[in-house]
Amino acid sequence: MNLGRSTAVEIMLEVGSTSIEVVVNANATTIDVATTTAGSNVSTDQFSYFPTARNVQGLYTIAPSATRSGLRDASGRDRDPSIAGSSGPENNYILDGVSTADPAFGGGGANLPFEFVQEVEIKTGAYGAEYGKSTGGIFNVITKSGGNEIHGDVFGYFTPGGAVRPVKNFPFTGSAANGFSEKDIGGDIGGPIVKDKLWFFGAVNPQWRTNNYLTQAFFVPVKNDVTIPFYAGKVTWGISPKHTLTVSTYSDFTKIDGFLATAALNNVSGFGSDPKAFQGTQETGGHNYSFRLNSAFSPHFLAEIYGGLHFQRNNTTPLSTSLSMPLISDSFSVLKSNAVLPVTSTGVQGAAATGFVDFVDGRGGSLQRAYLRGPGFGLYPRSDRNRYEFAAHLQSIFSKHGLKYGFEWSRNIYNVISTSSGGAITYANPKNLVLATPDSNQTINQRITNNFSVCSVRVINNANTVVCPSSSAVFNLKAAYNAGKLPADITGGVVQVGSGCAPGCPPGLTQAEAFGNPFIVRSSTRVRDFELHANTYTQVWSGYVQDDWKILKNLQLNVGLRWDFQSGYNTDGQPYIKLNQFWHDMQPRLGLIWDFTGKGKGKFSVSYGRFIETPIPLDVNVRAGGGASQTDKNMNVNTLNAPASASLVCCANGFGAANLGAEATPIDPGLRPQTLEEYSAGFEFSPRQSLVLGVRGVYRNYVNIIEDGSFDDGNTYFLFNPGRRSHGETTEDKACADPTIGCFGPARRYYRGIEFTATKRFSHRFQLISSYTYSSLIGNYEGLFRNDNGQSDPNITSLFDLVSLLKNTYGNLPNNRPHQFKFNGSYETPFKLMVSGNFYFQSGSPFNQLIPHAVYGNNEGFALPRGTAVVPLVTASQPGFPNVVDSVGAQRTPTTFNLDLGFYYPIPVGEKREFRLSADWFNVTNAQRALTLDQTSLINSGVAGVPPVTNPFWGSALLVQPPSQWRFGVKFRF
């Protein structure tokens, strides 16, 4: 019987006899005629012969509507797929009965190598009331167990660096992946401790991987090393024929040393003066414990009682040489002859808000952004993301009814400490500027930004003259010019240009001047001392009841209700957000199944369900819940790079130094939970044993979402349901009533899809899992992660912060991929060689033309309706490092396809013992098409009087498909 499925068993009892004749339908394990649930079940007998990544995350995309979500793990590999249009963090992940979803941000909080796994169940929709805490899919994983015979494996798999083809598609922005090497070895064993009573299973599988990169602009080789010492253990106790207790544990502690490359939409750039600024150690993963008691108290009363502990970490530690150094970032720098030009410090006093005058004569160079000076690392977090849970699932069977009911409880925890590199500095206050608090000028760490104004040099009246749009830049440079500190060939002095000066002055800077012939001057140096200390939690109570009513022998009606109540608490232990209204938290589940064959060989089903986001990721508790959790000191100083000798200059929020507090974000009266509803209809038929053909249609839409918004350009915020109107008391009511604000309008996400599937269990030498999905995804709300600007702040993204941010946001959403075809299959040749293959084909994602927003800055505005921009031809080049895009002229990223092949040969070495040699060839065609493109069309110039400038790399490739590679393996089974 497959994981999570029901199997019909007809039992015929003869009166007056103790014998029992059991008649089992031969196709019972092929089509589940008791549920409407859609998805895929994949057992170890199947996936162990597919060429895939050797962990459960690599198996999740087998399901028909699963596609790349844009989320990646710390090593840069895809994780947390999008299911039927939902964003990756909306899924629920269950390993051995324990929810392992990340409490802080959603998404998967644990991973396992598939050597440990017995079966993976992927629920993509239409699941019953016993399943919840997801508005996406549910991934249910069961690890292997021991039996009455000793069985085990010893294995090793290797991808040497030389087995990876060279990279041939390089990004302009961010570092470029440049190959890798990988190896993992391990073993597992299971068997009896006491036969027929007590069994065990244990496994270890350490994995090592080296990822290579080339830094942005300089193309300097860098790397990181990934270590994952996976382990798992399980003990199963047959207490009695009616009661079985299982206790299990597993771990995925992950450590990454070196260049920390993974960013939201691309790789970290590595663009700085010292590589150590991008290096450190990142620790993720953790360990999990669970118990499960399965009891059959009688043929009519069944129980499953379980509990678990999920411990997850996310820690980043800079190098020791970087830890004491502040992060120093230049807003602008100048690159010339493959080197960044140094800053000239004049020692001349400039404007009061600047202090000393510093400049870069960048004539003949190119203007660059966000350059890091020195080894300082910046902000680094240490966090625990844990969960304790307990549940009881019960079932009573009477007459034609199977009544399922139960309750669940969990305590979700997010403890975080975030601080920055640097050391204790108290900045002098010789001008006796007003301090917001007495210690506002005392810092324990620093993130320093040198803000530069951009000028240029023109010939005016036959003299080289510095021209600046900013009056403060003119003031500062004139002071240096009068002191004889500017270059000797600047003989025409300094003048202001553009709209900010008096009528008749010279025209403003052109883009060619600003970016091709820059002369930059420091306007201010900002110091930020940020620390976050928060210990938050959310309690969740859930309950459900469902009746599976067998109306006729071949007709079943499933009717269920589910409730998920949640209460979130801030770092002071005070309640912040509560979603526990009986009516609004109720989730009806309806399903009707007709076995039109009457023999379990086919079914037609229809279903409706509501699903609630539970719990809201605890990042909301930390960032919006208030409490004394945050120190955020901000000040300006008079010296480049803000050394300890620098002193305060005016002003930071009206003060010489300010400490911004963390007040609780007000919550909309009657806030509704984030709720999604789904309608589906499906057909399955088994024309022959072990083969199932299916077709399913699905429609999903959001009823309510939870987001934050603002009436005053982001000075204060509120948490609300966009578009929800009432009797004048909701935030939406107030916004609509004020003509200076206007309505936010509802958050919308509509998924429509039709899936065609064909599945064949292994028989007659071959097996297959295949599907084709045609779908659309439109709206103005992607979900808990944004692929347009890379923001991962569930329920508090910037999208609904201001009404003006919503212009042109309705359209084709990022996970809109009209066509997806998937094939996984294997064939055993007559001479025992197993040949397998995967072929995946999918449409590209919609392309956008992102522009700056007047208040929120870069990548927050849409120049055209979402998803309708045309991919341009990028004329910029970097000799020897091509950037190739195969969808120029289209409105999507390139269509991608991937062919993988696997070869597996068994060598028997005795009874029930064999060696298995394997070779997997990934990306056979070596397609290195772009997965993501640079969607930033215009960049906020950061220069007073200069409009946003064109991004010359708009439309270029950012992330590309990994190159062709081989993996070799050997396994001994006993």
Side-chain angles (χ1 to χ4, degrees), residues 2 40-52 59 62 114 118-120 690 759-762 767-769 824-826 834 836 838 904 916:
N2 289 341
S40 298
N41 277 62
V42 191
S43 69
T44 183
D45 294 332
Q46 292 175 295
F47 59 69
S48 61
Y49 289 105
F50 292 156
T52 65
L59 301 174
I62 286 178
F114 64 53
Q118 179 62 38
E119 190 165 6
V120 178
S690 76
T759 302
K760 182 183 180 300
R761 294 279 174 174
F762 191 85
Q767 64 177 343
L768 65 87
I769 302 174
N824 304 85
S826 59
M834 184 77 76
S836 66
N838 307 327
Y904 314 94
R916 193 185 79 169

Side-chain angles (χ1 to χ4, degrees), residues 641-969:
N641 300 336
S645 59
S647 58
L648 298 183
V649 294
C650 192
C651 283
N653 297 326
F655 298 94
N659 185 5
L660 305 178
E663 298 180 355
T665 300
I667 295 177
D668 205 22
L671 186 74
R672 305 288 193 264
Q674 184 146 323
T675 307
L676 177 139
E677 61 183 6
E678 176 192 85
Y679 304 81
S680 70
F683 167 88
E684 286 185 88
F685 178 63
S686 178
R688 55 183 296 180
Q689 185 176 350
S690 76
L691 174 65
V692 176
L693 305 177
V695 61
R696 174 178 179 255
V698 60
Y699 171 80
R700 283 183 167 189
N701 71 280
Y702 260 121
V703 179
N704 278 308
I705 73 153
I706 295 174
E707 268 290 350
D708 64 339
S710 176
F711 287 162
D712 55 7
D713 288 342
N715 290 321
T716 57
Y717 291 90
F718 42 78
L719 213 60
F720 76 127
N721 302 124
R724 183 174 66 87
R725 303 293 299 273
S726 188
H727 303 290
E729 74 275 11
T730 72
T731 297
E732 188 74 24
D733 288 335
K734 296 173 183 177
C736 293
D738 188 338
T740 65
I741 301 172
C743 297
F744 285 88
R748 292 169 288 178
R749 189 180 75 193
Y750 305 109
Y751 176 83
R752 302 170 178 89
I754 184 168
E755 305 165 4
F756 300 89
T757 58
T759 302
K760 182 183 180 300
R761 294 279 174 174
F762 191 85
S763 66
H764 301 92
R765 295 186 178 277
F766 76 97
Q767 64 177 343
L768 65 87
I769 302 174
S770 63
S771 66
Y772 168 73
T773 302
Y774 177 72
S775 64
S776 71
L777 181 66
I778 60 174
N780 62 358
Y781 178 74
E782 181 181 358
L784 305 184
F785 173 74
R786 294 185 60 181
N787 270 288
D788 45 26
N789 67 2
Q791 188 178 14
S792 180
D793 284 311
N795 301 107
I796 49 174
T797 70
S798 60
L799 184 61
F800 283 89
D801 282 7
L802 308 174
V803 172
S804 58
L805 285 166
L806 295 171
K807 181 181 179 182
N808 288 331
T809 57
Y810 186 85
N812 291 321
L813 290 166
N815 289 320
N816 178 320
R817 300 179 186 270
H819 303 282
Q820 283 195 81
F821 174 77
K822 302 178 181 181
F823 175 88
N824 304 85
S826 59
Y827 171 73
E828 185 182 43
T829 66
F831 48 91
K832 300 300 182 181
L833 175 67
M834 184 77 76
V835 179
S836 66
N838 307 327
F839 180 73
Y840 285 17
F841 171 97
Q842 66 177 2
S843 303
S845 58
F847 184 66
N848 293 303
Q849 185 174 0
L850 300 182
I851 58 176
H853 181 268
V855 176
Y856 271 51
N858 290 327
N859 296 329
E860 294 288 359
F862 289 78
L864 298 172
R866 184 192 287 271
T868 63
V870 175
V871 179
L873 176 65
V874 177
T875 58
S877 64
Q878 42 192 8
F881 300 94
N883 185 284
V884 181
V885 176
D886 298 291
S887 60
V888 173
Q891 293 181 321
R892 292 182 175 272
T893 63
T895 296
T896 57
F897 57 89
N898 201 82
L899 173 64
D900 307 321
L901 296 176
F903 308 91
Y904 314 94
Y905 188 71
I907 303 174
V909 292
E911 186 179 358
K912 298 182 180 179
R913 294 191 299 272
E914 72 173 24
F915 278 103
R916 193 185 79 169
L917 306 178
S918 66
D920 296 302
W921 187 8
F922 298 98
N923 193 1
V924 172
T925 63
N926 198 29
Q928 296 187 32
R929 293 190 156 209
L931 298 172
T932 60
L933 302 181
D934 190 340
Q935 299 187 86
T936 303
S937 171
L938 298 178
I939 300 174
N940 194 339
S941 69
V943 180
V946 176
V949 298
T950 300
N951 175 18
F953 309 131
W954 176 51
S956 65
L958 290 179
L959 298 176
V960 302
Q961 291 175 271
S964 182
Q965 63 208 248
W966 282 89
R967 181 180 68 201
F968 305 101

